[in-house]
Amino acid sequence: MKYEVVMGLEVHVELSTQSKLFCSCSAKFGAEANENVCPACAGMPGMPALVNKNAVSLGIAAGILTNSDISEVITFDKKNYFYPDLPTGYQITQWFAPICKNGWIDIEAVGGGGADDTIPTKRITLKQIHIEEDAGKLVHEPRTRSTLVDFNRTSVPLIEIVSNPDFNTSGEVVAYLEKLRLLLTFAGVSDCKMQEGSMRCDINISVREKGCKKLGTRTEIKNMNSLKAIARAIEYESQRHIDALETGSEELVVETRRWDDTLGMTFAMREKEQAEDYRYFPNPEILPIRIDKAWIEDVRATLPEPAHEKYERLTKTLGLPEHDSRLISESQNLSRIFDAVTKIVNKPKDVSNWIIGELLAVSSGAGVEGDEIDINVSDFAKIIMLVDEGKINRAVGKKVLAQVFENKVNPEEYIKDNSLAMVSDTGTLESAIAAVLKENDKTVAEYKNGSQKVFGFLVGQIMKKTGGKADPRMVNELLKKMIET
């Protein structure tokens, strides 16, 4: 019997705000335990909740990026449940009037079974996006058999992006999450660092006979924060459902499960709650918020060119190789550097080559990732132009770039102070070449006897003798002329 896996996702994404959703405490990651806590986010009685307007703007941005309908009026509601990391005993969320509805994202994915499963384009539809506050974090201490609570994350603003059950393979799920992460990070909605918990995913999964319209018994895998683990969890859980349906080895029930990445298995946590279990009701302390068209257009005006559109432009309009276009378009920072330098130099392919070939090499050597590169784009552009104008050679350009990156030097002053200008005086180069030919008479004889590969060695010796400052083109021309006379 053939089966079909059906999945829907609930993706929690922390918003890139400086402060929390309902108070002025810092929302930054990495603070000491309970460092960023005040009476409001600690759930003390009588503390009013003040909505962070920037969080709402980022929610609007998420709606624009996902082609969603943005609500004219939004409200906040109380979702009631008891858990130690929720100090108020309820979570402020949006149940009755979420900020966005009816969006969609197009993905390209491999179905998981090989090339035959390739789906060129598939549209994933969204039920809604809503804004809510995050809960705290429980820290389990096995040595003392105790559990500690860190409230730093309490009330950090996040959006929950709820899809319809449109997924059938782990490949589609991973492609969707990668596309979503790219959209949101590129626009500055969130950093989506799964390793820090700022992007987490709940997977609702069921299995049914192929061709059947009725969904099977649904289980939810909670708080997944690794694409690799998500793919493994889907494969395990879907096979567990299939085995149960085929052999009757267990009775499938609606429940919430956790994933153990070490064992490669899911385990039951609790029965799956239904909406009535949470006793949603409107939060009387927060007034409805009206979102007019002007607000939406103001947010739209701040959004950069989406990554997938930039990739198309770099590849098809500017003629960059697909590999280079993908590297640049998938990083907001590299994309910003590329656009800024190209405005000055106006040679897209040269700029791309310098970013991919040189800048990333320098930053990697310093242990800095592409998204964290901090370089003066005017100085970077100046180096490219100096090489293009023949004032320094590319090898010197690389050295200067490293100094600009690491020490923020002025490239022209650094070149002048260190006498790095390119040597293109014919007499000087001929003297250096004559000296190299004299010092390497055996190598010269090999070349004259037909060994072309030694020519590069001689060029290298000449560059070394001129301190790497010689004009490579002139060196090649003069060396060939002098060695053959």
Side-chain angles (χ1 to χ4, degrees):
M1 187 177 295
K2 291 187 176 181
Y3 294 95
E4 179 183 45
V5 181
V6 181
M7 293 172 285
L9 301 187
E10 299 168 10
V11 182
H12 297 80
V13 178
E14 289 186 356
L15 300 174
S16 295
T17 59
Q18 294 296 313
S19 57
K20 294 185 178 182
L21 185 54
F22 299 115
C23 67
S24 59
C25 287
S26 172
K28 71 176 181 179
F29 175 83
E32 292 295 324
N34 294 306
E35 178 182 338
N36 299 325
V37 183
C38 72
C41 55
M44 297 300 171
M47 299 302 299
L50 303 175
V51 179
N52 184 335
K53 183 179 179 181
N54 188 35
V56 179
S57 293
L58 292 175
I60 295 171
I64 295 171
L65 295 168
T66 56
N67 310 288
S68 299
D69 298 330
I70 299 170
S71 303
E72 292 183 5
V73 178
I74 62 173
T75 59
F76 286 91
D77 313 295
K78 291 185 177 183
K79 176 182 179 181
N80 295 270
Y81 65 95
F82 176 78
Y83 209 64
D85 61 4
L86 200 63
T88 57
Y90 58 83
Q91 180 186 35
I92 301 178
T93 183
Q94 293 184 313
W95 177 256
F96 297 106
I99 191 167
C100 305
K101 291 182 178 180
N102 305 323
W104 52 267
I105 294 176
D106 286 337
I107 63 167
E108 296 178 359
V110 175
D116 292 341
D117 293 324
T118 301
I119 304 172
T121 302
K122 181 172 181 176
R123 178 156 295 181
I124 304 300
T125 60
L126 306 181
K127 178 184 177 184
Q128 67 181 52
I129 300 175
H130 56 266
I131 302 172
E132 62 185 20
E133 62 177 344
D134 210 342
K137 180 182 179 181
L138 297 181
V139 181
H140 303 289
E141 293 282 357
R143 185 173 57 84
T144 59
R145 296 185 179 181
S146 60
T147 298
L148 306 177
V149 186
D150 181 1
F151 288 126
N152 277 342
R153 204 169 65 184
T154 304
S155 201
V156 167
L158 58 80
I159 51 174
E160 181 174 343
I161 304 169
V162 184
S163 81
N164 289 309
D166 292 343
F167 301 94
N168 302 114
T169 68
S170 59
E172 292 174 2
V173 170
V174 171
Y176 168 78
L177 292 172
E178 288 178 334
K179 180 71 172 285
L180 193 60
R181 182 166 62 180
L182 196 57
L183 286 169
L184 298 178
T185 55
F186 211 79
V189 174
S190 171
D191 61 21
C192 291
K193 293 181 178 179
M194 300 187 81
Q195 70 276 15
E196 294 181 2
S198 58
M199 184 177 186
R200 312 187 294 274
C201 178
D202 299 341
I203 307 163
N204 291 288
I205 183 170
S206 65
V207 173
R208 65 187 177 190
E209 292 182 27
K210 204 164 185 69
C212 178
K213 298 300 181 182
K214 184 180 178 181
L215 292 173
T217 302
R218 175 172 59 97
T219 58
E220 181 183 35
I221 311 173
K222 291 286 286 186
N223 290 328
M224 302 294 297
N225 60 358
S226 157
L227 294 180
K228 185 177 180 181
I230 286 169
R232 292 179 65 208
I234 290 171
E235 297 304 324
Y236 171 84
E237 186 66 9
S238 58
Q239 189 59 52
R240 187 180 74 87
H241 281 234
I242 292 171
D243 290 344
L245 292 173
E246 287 189 335
T247 67
S249 56
E250 62 177 307
E251 181 184 357
L252 295 175
V253 295
V254 179
E255 63 183 354
T256 298
R257 299 179 69 86
R258 67 176 179 87
W259 168 252
D260 188 310
D261 202 45
T262 303
L263 297 176
M265 300 172 65
T266 63
F267 294 91
M269 293 173 62
R270 59 181 182 270
E271 291 185 3
K272 178 75 176 123
E273 297 89 347
Q274 305 302 319
E276 55 269 21
D277 296 326
Y278 291 118
R279 306 186 312 280
Y280 289 96
F281 67 90
N283 190 330
E285 300 161 2
I286 303 176
L287 294 175
I289 298 173
R290 181 172 296 277
I291 301 175
D292 58 20
K293 291 182 179 179
W295 191 353
I296 296 172
E297 293 309 310
D298 285 345
V299 172
R300 193 189 304 275
T302 67
L303 296 178
E305 179 184 27
H308 61 283
E309 292 183 11
K310 178 175 284 290
Y311 171 81
E312 292 292 319
R313 179 170 63 85
L314 296 183
T315 305
K316 296 181 179 179
T317 305
L318 301 183
L320 267 59
E322 290 186 5
H323 173 264
D324 293 10
S325 296
R326 193 169 300 281
L327 275 176
I328 292 172
S329 65
E330 288 185 354
S331 167
Q332 184 189 38
N333 193 39
L334 292 182
S335 181
R336 175 191 63 81
I337 293 171
F338 174 83
D339 287 342
V341 175
T342 303
K343 282 184 179 179
I344 302 171
V345 179
N346 197 25
K347 291 188 175 182
K349 288 186 178 180
D350 283 355
V351 175
S352 172
N353 289 339
W354 273 91
I355 291 175
I356 304 300
E358 316 303 346
L359 181 59
L360 287 180
V362 170
S363 67
S364 177
V368 178
E369 295 183 359
D371 284 335
E372 298 172 351
I373 290 175
D374 178 21
I375 190 167
N376 185 301
V377 293
S378 297
D379 289 342
F380 187 18
K382 175 60 69 175
I383 294 169
I384 298 174
M385 288 190 291
L386 289 171
V387 172
D388 190 54
E389 293 166 1
K391 294 180 179 178
I392 58 173
N393 61 38
R394 194 175 183 94
V396 170
K398 294 179 185 179
K399 295 179 182 178
V400 178
L401 177 62
Q403 290 298 319
V404 169
F405 177 80
E406 294 171 6
N407 301 315
K408 313 300 181 187
V409 302
N410 179 291
E412 290 179 302
E413 291 179 3
Y414 183 82
I415 291 166
K416 181 180 179 182
D417 294 343
N418 292 274
S419 302
L420 294 174
M422 187 154 62
V423 177
S424 55
D425 176 72
T426 303
T428 303
L429 292 178
E430 286 179 344
S431 296
I433 293 170
V436 168
L437 294 179
K438 185 176 180 181
E439 294 166 1
N440 297 273
D441 54 334
K442 290 184 179 179
T443 305
V444 172
E446 289 180 35
Y447 175 79
K448 290 183 176 181
N449 287 330
S451 179
Q452 296 291 322
K453 64 181 180 180
V454 300
F455 189 85
F457 168 78
L458 294 171
V459 171
Q461 294 301 303
I462 297 163
M463 296 300 292
K464 186 177 180 180
K465 191 170 284 291
T466 59
K469 298 179 289 183
D471 182 340
R473 180 185 58 80
M474 290 188 66
V475 167
N476 276 268
E477 291 177 358
L478 291 173
L479 175 59
K480 197 163 190 178
K481 179 180 177 183
M482 292 175 67
I483 202 172
E484 293 176 354
T485 57

